[in-house]
């Protein structure tokens, strides 16, 4: 399954994204913030399934140094959490990544920056890769777009929530107006353990 996440608008404290497959909108989400906090509330849906993500306390999370957790709920019931954490190992081996605990399952997202090729965010469930989120290396007018490759519909739902979270804790800036601009992201990942997560042939298995 291949689809795009397109930023449709950027207001003072609310940004809108559409999820499009083959030019048909199959979902979307809003990132709502305020001028008094760096955190946001995310509301969205994909193929009729709705979700809400809100910042919460990290004390109850069983993970190594959980940072900026957002709790995930459906129909008013919390059933998961997503946060930043770090791997084990010495300072040359460890790396930061994003982790989600949802309905008793754990999902890991590893971001690998490849210079002008952009960033590849690799979504795993255990040792199995289930999706890849591609971020553009050049962003025009501060509007961010992503292409997602997923093995099935459920994996695509997980990937959309990861993409929304990454935007909320990254590029999202409440109070900042859209203006004509070109921003280039040409960084490169050098951590060898992190680079091993990237499989350049993965997307072939997701093309229908």
């Amino acid at each position: 399954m291949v689809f795009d996440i397109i930023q449709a608008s950027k207001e003072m404290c609310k940004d809108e994204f559409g999820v499009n497959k083959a030019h048909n909108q199959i979902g979307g989400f809003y990132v709502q913030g305020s001028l008094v906090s760096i955190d946001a509330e995310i509301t969205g849906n994909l193929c009729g399934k709705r979700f809400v993500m809100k910042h919460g306390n990290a004390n109850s999370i069983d993970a190594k140094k959980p940072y900026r957790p957002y709790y995930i709920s459906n129909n008013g019931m919390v059933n998961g959490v997503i946060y930043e954490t770090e791997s084990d190992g010495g300072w040359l081996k460890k790396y930061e990544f994003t982790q989600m605990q949802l309905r008793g399952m754990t999902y890991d997202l590893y971001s690998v920056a490849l210079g002008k090729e952009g960033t590849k965010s690799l979504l795993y469930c255990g040792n199995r890769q289930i999706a890849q989120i591609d971020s553009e290396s050049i962003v025009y007018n501060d509007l961010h777009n992503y292409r997602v490759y997923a093995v099935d519909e459920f994996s695509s739902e997980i990937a959309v929530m990861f993409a929304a979270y990454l935007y909320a804790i990254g590029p999202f800036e409440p109070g900042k107006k859209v203006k004509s601009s070109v921003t280039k992201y040409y960084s490169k990942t050098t951590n060898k353990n992190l680079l091993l997560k990237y499989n350049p042939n993965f997307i072939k298995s997701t093309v229908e």
Side-chain angles (χ1 to χ4, degrees):
M1 185 174 183
V2 183
F3 59 92
D4 295 294
I5 300 175
I6 306 296
Q7 186 166 3
S9 67
K10 181 179 181 65
E11 301 177 10
M12 286 292 290
C13 293
K14 187 176 184 179
D15 296 355
E16 179 183 1
F17 289 80
V19 180
N20 303 323
K21 181 183 179 184
H23 305 293
N24 296 315
Q25 187 163 348
I26 59 173
F29 59 86
Y30 292 92
V31 181
Q32 175 75 62
S34 71
L35 298 178
V36 296
S37 174
I38 62 171
D39 291 304
E41 178 177 323
I42 303 164
T43 58
N45 74 84
L46 185 67
C47 300
K49 298 178 182 179
R50 299 182 179 276
F51 63 88
V52 178
M53 303 168 70
K54 296 181 180 180
H55 180 259
N57 196 297
N59 292 340
S60 62
I61 299 174
D62 182 17
K64 184 178 180 180
K65 297 181 179 180
Y67 176 65
R68 295 192 74 177
Y70 276 56
Y71 286 84
I72 304 165
S73 61
N74 301 94
N75 301 318
M77 296 184 63
V78 175
N79 53 22
V81 62
I82 184 171
Y83 47 86
E84 295 289 287
T85 185
E86 64 179 29
S87 68
D88 295 323
W91 70 276
L92 289 176
K93 294 183 178 180
K94 68 180 180 181
Y95 49 82
E96 295 181 349
F97 65 103
T98 309
Q99 188 168 77
M100 176 191 294
Q101 298 178 26
L102 183 70
R103 304 187 189 97
M105 298 294 291
T106 299
Y107 303 92
D108 299 317
L109 189 76
Y110 307 98
S111 294
V112 176
L114 299 176
K116 292 184 178 181
E117 293 183 44
T119 297
K120 315 294 182 181
S121 295
L122 319 166
L123 178 55
Y124 279 79
C125 181
N127 294 321
R128 177 178 177 243
Q129 185 175 355
I130 60 173
Q132 177 176 307
I133 306 169
D134 286 2
S135 306
E136 299 174 332
S137 61
I138 302 177
V139 176
Y140 296 92
N141 305 327
D142 204 23
L143 297 174
H144 295 255
N145 303 317
Y146 310 89
R147 171 153 288 189
V148 180
Y149 304 87
V151 298
D152 52 34
E153 185 173 308
F154 179 75
S155 300
S156 69
E157 296 170 19
I158 302 298
V160 167
M161 289 190 284
F162 267 105
Y165 173 78
L166 291 181
Y167 178 79
I169 68 167
F172 183 57
E173 295 183 70
K176 183 178 179 180
K177 295 182 179 180
V178 172
K179 57 183 178 181
S180 179
S181 65
V182 178
T183 305
K184 299 179 180 180
Y185 298 91
Y186 287 168
S187 62
K188 282 194 174 185
T189 296
T190 58
N191 185 292
K192 293 182 179 179
N193 291 327
L194 192 53
L195 287 169
L196 288 174
K197 303 292 184 181
Y198 176 53
N199 174 13
N201 296 317
F202 169 77
I203 62 175
K204 293 180 180 179
S205 66
T206 66
V207 178
E208 297 178 347

